[in-house]
Amino acid sequence: MLTSLAFIFLVGLTMAAICQRLNLPRIIGMLLTGIVLGPYVLDLLDPSILSISADLRQMALIIILLKAGLSLNLSDLKKVGRPAIMMSSIPASCEILAFFLFAPSILGVTRIEAAVMGAVLGAVSPAVVVPRMVQLMDTKYGTDKSIPQLIMAGASCDDIFVIVLFSTFVSMAQGGQANLMDFINIPVSILLGIALGAITGYLLSLFFETAYAHKHCVRNSMKVIIVLGVSFLLMSIETWLEDIVSVSGLLAVVSMACVLKIKSTAFVSKRLSEKFGKLWLAAEVLLFVLVGAAVDIRYTMNAGIAAVLMIFLALIFRSIGVAICLIGTPMTKKERIFCMIAYLPKATVQAAIGSVPLSMGLPCGQIVLSVAVLAILITAPLGAIGIDMTYKRLLHKEGRKENTYNTAEQSL
């Protein structure tokens, strides 16, 4: 395992640096590292690390979500309440609709198999999107209209919605029926996750304050370890309660971090955010290299041009869904285009559930996995490059006067 970790960090960072020198996003180098080192190409990663790959990816995602929560301003989130709620379901629904309508004729699958495929492909990747939105929040791009906060909030809920639909469609494909309770569980999962995180964050802040009052000052480094441990427990609670009630662990983590920021002093929350930012430097490499390692490049050969056409057609529908969510907001045309670009990347969810239909013996299993792999290879770099290359041109930097052209371009 140590050799595998050495390969992941050293080769991953080297490839990321090469991509950066070529003015490409670092994520591309990390994904390529995972694909090449993974079991489907050179097979240099130890099976023991691949067996816990999903857990390691989840740990890395928790770190960036904590950083995000400590960087969020709740007053900003209030400004984007309606669009954020819509962004958590409408773009994914539009993409699933595209698969349902066109995949049977383009890829030769049945309607219900097309719905399964759409549910696999429908989720945006928080692993790609959230770190970039945190960076925009740190550099104040788009924050005057809370654009990074909007995208990050929508992306955090989007996965819950899609995974519930995926479970329902898979059950139907196996001959079962859609369960109304699955759909009711979507808002329940979101609300309970936020509530659980808020209560946990409040109790943690009380613990830190009490320790300080009794002259047992908890160092910020120790706070990071405690917060991480509690975050892992919140994610475990989601698993423990899944047969009883749906709770979103990811939203609980973000909610806890937000409350910690509110209840802590500005200095402490800033220091915690910085420390999680440093942890992210290592977690980022681990996350994206392991996502790449989960990609079976052989399946792309089976997908063909028809699959590429279907993926881009679905992305057009997805972008229309984003545009619908932004109706009535004060965003300019450029800012709306940026939101569409930011909602393109797919990676973590597709890597996690892309092979499930195949493992369940569904006839569409191989084509679903092929399209999922191809979608990761196309949209993760496309979305990452799109965000990195366009945010300075499409978003206004808070504190900088907008030029006359941008002011004249205000829409609606």
Side-chain angles (χ1 to χ4, degrees):
M1 184 180 285
L2 290 179
T3 306
S4 297
L5 287 173
F7 281 141
I8 287 171
F9 286 116
L10 297 179
V11 180
L13 286 172
T14 302
M15 290 294 291
I18 291 170
C19 286
Q20 195 170 27
R21 289 295 297 271
L22 296 172
N23 292 321
L24 295 172
R26 291 164 56 84
I27 180 182
I28 296 176
M30 297 175 199
L31 286 172
L32 287 175
T33 299
I35 291 170
V36 172
L37 294 181
Y40 308 110
V41 182
L42 296 182
D43 194 18
L44 295 178
L45 298 182
D46 193 277
S48 60
I49 202 166
L50 293 174
S51 67
I52 58 169
S53 171
D55 295 317
L56 292 174
R57 296 201 306 264
Q58 194 170 63
M59 287 168 62
L61 191 55
I62 286 170
I63 289 171
I64 192 57
L65 287 173
L66 285 169
K67 166 83 168 99
L70 289 165
S71 304
L72 272 175
N73 189 326
L74 287 184
S75 62
D76 290 336
L77 274 181
K78 289 177 184 176
K79 299 177 190 174
V80 296
R82 177 191 60 81
I85 293 170
M86 293 176 71
M87 290 278 275
S88 68
S89 58
I90 290 179
S93 298
C94 289
E95 187 163 6
I96 292 170
L97 177 63
F99 276 94
F100 185 77
L101 293 176
F102 299 108
S105 56
I106 294 176
L107 298 175
V109 294
T110 66
R111 292 286 179 195
I112 188 59
E113 289 173 343
V116 171
M117 186 182 295
V120 171
L121 274 292
V124 70
S125 173
V128 179
V129 173
V130 172
R132 282 166 171 75
M133 295 307 107
V134 173
Q135 181 189 353
L136 296 188
M137 288 159 59
D138 290 342
T139 54
K140 303 295 182 183
Y141 275 96
T143 50
D144 54 337
K145 295 180 184 174
S146 304
I147 294 170
Q149 293 91 327
L150 163 67
I151 294 169
M152 190 165 67
S156 298
C157 300
D158 170 269
D159 293 354
I160 304 164
F161 175 76
V162 168
I163 289 170
V164 169
L165 289 183
F166 172 73
S167 301
T168 303
F169 293 147
V170 163
S171 174
M172 293 171 68
Q174 288 181 307
Q177 295 181 343
N179 189 345
L180 180 62
M181 282 305 298
D182 289 338
F183 295 97
I184 294 173
N185 277 337
I186 295 172
V188 170
S189 175
I190 292 169
L191 292 174
L192 285 180
I194 293 171
L196 176 63
I199 293 168
T200 307
Y202 179 72
L203 293 175
L204 264 181
S205 66
L206 278 182
F207 169 72
F208 293 146
E209 285 177 14
T210 305
Y212 181 77
H214 288 82
K215 298 182 180 179
H216 297 294
C217 183
V218 182
R219 295 178 57 187
N220 288 327
S221 299
M222 291 298 294
K223 287 179 181 175
V224 167
I225 296 171
I226 293 169
V227 170
L228 264 180
V230 172
S231 300
F232 296 158
L233 276 178
L234 289 176
M235 293 300 298
S236 299
I237 287 172
E238 178 181 351
T239 306
W240 297 339
L241 297 180
E242 64 182 355
D243 294 330
I244 304 169
V245 66
S246 258
V247 181
S248 170
L250 291 179
L251 282 180
V253 170
V254 176
S255 176
M256 178 189 70
C258 287
V259 172
L260 273 176
K261 179 183 178 180
I262 294 169
K263 301 297 291 182
S264 305
T265 64
F267 174 76
V268 170
S269 62
K270 184 174 183 293
R271 289 288 295 154
L272 286 175
S273 180
E274 288 173 353
K275 286 184 178 292
F276 278 111
K278 290 174 182 176
L279 276 178
W280 172 245
L281 294 175
E284 177 187 34
V285 182
L286 199 62
L287 173 61
F288 291 119
V289 171
L290 289 176
V291 166
V295 171
D296 189 344
I297 197 73
R298 297 172 300 178
Y299 282 105
T300 59
M301 305 300 178
N302 301 326
I305 301 299
V308 176
L309 173 64
M310 187 64 242
I311 288 168
F312 279 101
L313 182 60
L315 290 179
I316 292 170
F317 270 66
R318 184 178 192 83
S319 298
I320 292 170
V322 173
I324 291 169
C325 297
L326 302 179
I327 291 173
T329 64
M331 291 187 198
T332 65
K333 188 185 296 183
K334 285 185 175 183
E335 288 164 343
R336 293 171 194 235
I337 291 171
F338 176 80
C339 291
M340 294 177 191
I341 294 169
Y343 244 55
L344 296 180
K346 305 174 187 303
T348 39
V349 173
Q350 288 71 30
I353 67 174
S355 61
V356 171
L358 182 62
S359 64
M360 296 176 75
L362 294 180
C364 62
Q366 179 141 337
I367 186 65
V368 168
L369 181 56
S370 300
V371 176
V373 169
L374 197 58
I376 293 172
L377 296 177
I378 292 172
T379 64
L382 180 65
I385 292 170
I387 294 170
D388 293 346
M389 298 294 186
T390 63
Y391 75 91
K392 290 184 179 178
R393 283 176 288 181
L394 299 181
L395 299 181
H396 170 240
K397 185 171 184 178
E398 192 174 354
R400 184 186 69 191
K401 290 184 179 179
E402 288 189 90
N403 58 40
T404 308
Y405 177 81
N406 282 342
T407 305
E409 199 189 34
Q410 291 287 334
S411 63
L412 295 183

